[in-house]
Amino acid sequence: MKLPLLLVALLAISFSGFGQIKLLTPDSPVEIKITSLIFLHTQKGMPLQQGQTVNQGDPVAQFAPQPTKRSDKFEKQLRESIQLYNKKSFAQAAEVLKKAVTQEPENPFLLEAYARALYQIDERKPDSYQVYKKLVS
């Protein structure tokens, strides 16, 4: 399953110009030089031209809505985790998805929800960073 750009946007990525992206990690910004970006799960409109400059805060794409079913086996757990996260029960939100991310390790929806919950738990921030790295790799 490919990574939707929406999830990438949630990783606090700031565009500093076409060809450069700064990933804001829990530790420090890491500059990565790139030559192209591939936007997945976007709607038509707002196409970028090759070599076009993109400044921080500029819209680059319009995101497609999330699919109604994001996991074949763990949709119920994903919804429960999101509800727990919204109630600020971060440890429970992460625990609900622990098994799911091991059985669907390429599912970006599960990984994003799991990493997001882990990030809110101080002692689990390093674990969150590892999940986020997997998500964007």
Side-chain angles (χ1 to χ4, degrees), residues 3 6 38 47 55 61-62 66 77 80 99 114 123 132:
L3 172 68
L6 175 60
I38 299 173
N55 297 308
Q62 203 170 17
Q66 285 195 7
Q77 290 87 337
E80 181 182 354
K99 180 181 177 185
Y114 186 57
E123 63 274 7
Y132 275 128

Side-chain angles (χ1 to χ4, degrees), residues 13-132:
I13 293 180
S14 66
F15 289 91
S16 60
F18 198 81
Q20 295 180 349
I21 293 180
K22 292 183 180 177
L23 297 176
L24 304 181
T25 68
D27 306 320
S28 64
V30 177
E31 190 167 302
I32 299 173
K33 302 245 183 213
I34 59 169
T35 57
S36 64
L37 294 172
I38 299 173
F39 295 102
L40 303 174
H41 300 280
T42 59
Q43 295 178 343
K44 292 188 180 202
M46 303 171 68
L48 294 176
Q49 302 300 317
Q50 185 172 357
Q52 181 177 342
T53 299
V54 179
N55 297 308
Q56 185 172 354
D58 288 350
V60 294
Q62 203 170 17
F63 303 112
Q66 285 195 7
T68 53
K69 186 174 182 184
R70 297 162 289 186
S71 171
D72 291 333
K73 296 180 183 177
F74 299 101
E75 185 66 32
K76 180 182 175 189
Q77 290 87 337
L78 179 57
R79 290 178 191 271
E80 181 182 354
S81 176
I82 291 168
Q83 288 176 344
L84 288 165
Y85 182 91
N86 290 337
K87 293 177 183 175
K88 301 192 183 318
S89 298
F90 305 120
Q92 289 176 290
E95 188 61 34
V96 166
L97 292 178
K98 192 173 184 179
K99 180 181 177 185
V101 296
T102 61
Q103 292 199 9
E104 289 187 28
E106 301 298 318
N107 185 318
F109 300 105
L110 296 175
L111 290 172
E112 187 275 331
Y114 186 57
R116 194 168 59 122
L118 289 175
Y119 186 78
Q120 296 299 327
I121 307 166
D122 287 336
E123 63 274 7
R124 301 294 306 271
K125 283 187 195 275
D127 298 328
S128 172
Y129 179 58
Q130 294 306 315
V131 176
Y132 275 128

